[in-house]
Amino acid sequence: MAAPKKTVAKELGQEKAGSPPEFSKEQEFKALRDMLLIRRFEEKAGQLYGMGAIGGFCHLYIGQEAVVVGMQMALKQGDEVITGYRDHGHMLACDMEAKGVMAELTGRRGGYSRGKGGSMHMFSKEKHFYGGHGIVGAQVSLGTGLAFANRYRGNDNVSVTYFGDGAANQGQVYESFNMAELWKLPVIYVIENNRYAMGTSVSRASAQQDFSKRGASFNIPGRQVDGMDVRAVKAAADEAVAWCRGGNGPMILEMQTYRYRGHSMSDPAKYRTREEVEKVRHDQDPIEQVRNRLLASGVSEQDLKAIDAEVREIVNEAADFAQHDPEPDASELYTDIYR
């Protein structure tokens, strides 16, 4: 007898006993718009990179949009976000302006780091977004530090610290886990497991492939989450936020997700098949899931197209601004330098 055929859900480890909590129509519309903004922005960034308008590295978030959008839906004003280098989606989800993000990608004066940081180094204190970090795993220590500051100040803010399956094997991650649990710091460690890190399957690189268990030796609870379903992400985020605000210490959320593009724009992604990517797109695309639910609820195709048109206009305006905004003055070379 032939072995049972694996489904994409089984491959991603996303089989659940029940469906996630339903969204209201208002929540569905918000999730759709926010994820579409990230998708269209990243598509445009990819085009500009191909035209030579963006230099350096460029890591796109296409396919993973439900993770950061669902997490943000559970947060309040004052909660902090910090992540690695696949960060444009996180910025947009934190309500940073598309013009400022795109202008930073093209190295222009109107960028969030005045054109000096590029793709991996953008910040917004106003939006409580603390980067954008190019060193693998470095943001985990910093995100733990943000949580320590919250505990020290006696507020109830939570630090949401994102990192990938590749960064999960870094030593400083475990030092951070130990410290966070010892001091009961309000930090949610979100592991965005897109299965391939920089280009190596988790099955070849990680002895423990259930990343939700990575905090077990520190007594940190963990959850595996369908990171392609924004409702499942929001539900897990609600639980983790309540846990942290309640003074119980950190929690780990393993978001089982998938990136459609290579690790960066320079990666042809030959370590996986085109059929694998297309199957995930067809079966689990986070945006299409929301669109299909809205259509089933009676929303018209025309209404959904109007949302997409609005988002495309925002992105096109951002791209136009980012290509015509002046470059930084030469004097900027000497600012933001500390001895």
Side-chain angles (χ1 to χ4, degrees), residues 129-274:
F129 179 80
Y130 293 89
H133 293 269
I135 304 301
V136 176
Q139 74 276 13
V140 181
S141 312
L142 299 174
T144 305
L146 289 170
F148 176 79
N150 291 333
R151 178 73 184 274
Y152 185 81
R153 291 166 179 155
N155 61 43
D156 70 341
N157 294 338
V158 169
S159 166
V160 181
T161 300
Y162 292 87
F163 55 104
D165 49 287
N169 294 321
Q170 291 286 318
Q172 62 190 306
V173 170
Y174 296 96
E175 294 178 39
S176 298
F177 285 176
N178 187 57
M179 199 174 291
E181 178 60 24
L182 271 174
W183 296 339
K184 299 297 181 186
L185 302 182
V187 52
I188 303 172
Y189 295 110
V190 181
I191 304 176
E192 298 193 74
N193 178 9
N194 60 31
R195 300 174 62 187
Y196 288 103
M198 284 186 67
T200 302
S201 170
V202 294
S203 63
R204 296 179 59 208
S206 297
Q208 172 54 273
Q209 296 173 46
D210 184 343
F211 291 93
S212 69
K213 295 179 179 177
R214 289 300 183 96
S217 61
F218 306 99
N219 297 319
I220 300 176
R223 303 283 184 273
Q224 282 190 321
V225 185
D226 181 352
M228 304 298 276
D229 188 336
V230 68
R231 301 170 304 172
V233 174
K234 165 67 162 55
D238 284 337
E239 178 189 5
V241 166
W243 174 267
C244 289
R245 291 205 211 284
N248 300 300
M251 179 177 280
I252 295 172
L253 297 179
E254 179 196 347
M255 298 293 174
Q256 296 172 321
T257 185
Y258 196 86
R259 56 173 166 79
Y260 298 160
R261 301 290 185 93
H263 170 69
S264 69
M265 286 297 295
S266 60
D267 173 19
K270 292 182 179 179
Y271 40 80
R272 60 185 182 182
T273 65
R274 181 176 298 177

Side-chain angles (χ1 to χ4, degrees), residues 20-96:
E22 293 296 325
F23 270 8
S24 67
K25 192 167 287 188
E26 181 182 0
Q27 287 175 311
E28 295 278 34
F29 274 119
K30 176 172 174 51
L32 177 67
R33 186 190 180 282
D34 290 352
M35 289 193 291
L36 269 175
L37 177 60
I38 296 172
R39 178 74 57 92
R40 301 303 179 222
F41 182 96
E42 294 289 65
E43 289 170 348
K44 181 62 73 174
Q47 291 174 13
L48 292 179
Y49 187 93
M51 293 163 53
I54 295 174
F57 293 99
C58 186
H59 306 82
L60 302 182
Y61 201 61
I62 297 174
Q64 299 183 210
E65 298 90 350
V67 175
V68 71
V69 169
M71 288 298 303
Q72 285 299 123
M73 292 176 80
L75 303 184
K76 69 172 181 63
Q77 180 69 21
D79 292 334
E80 301 109 341
V81 170
I82 190 168
T83 188
Y85 41 72
R86 197 179 309 281
D87 53 3
H88 315 147
H90 301 74
M91 299 172 198
L92 296 172
C94 288
D95 204 29
M96 292 169 67

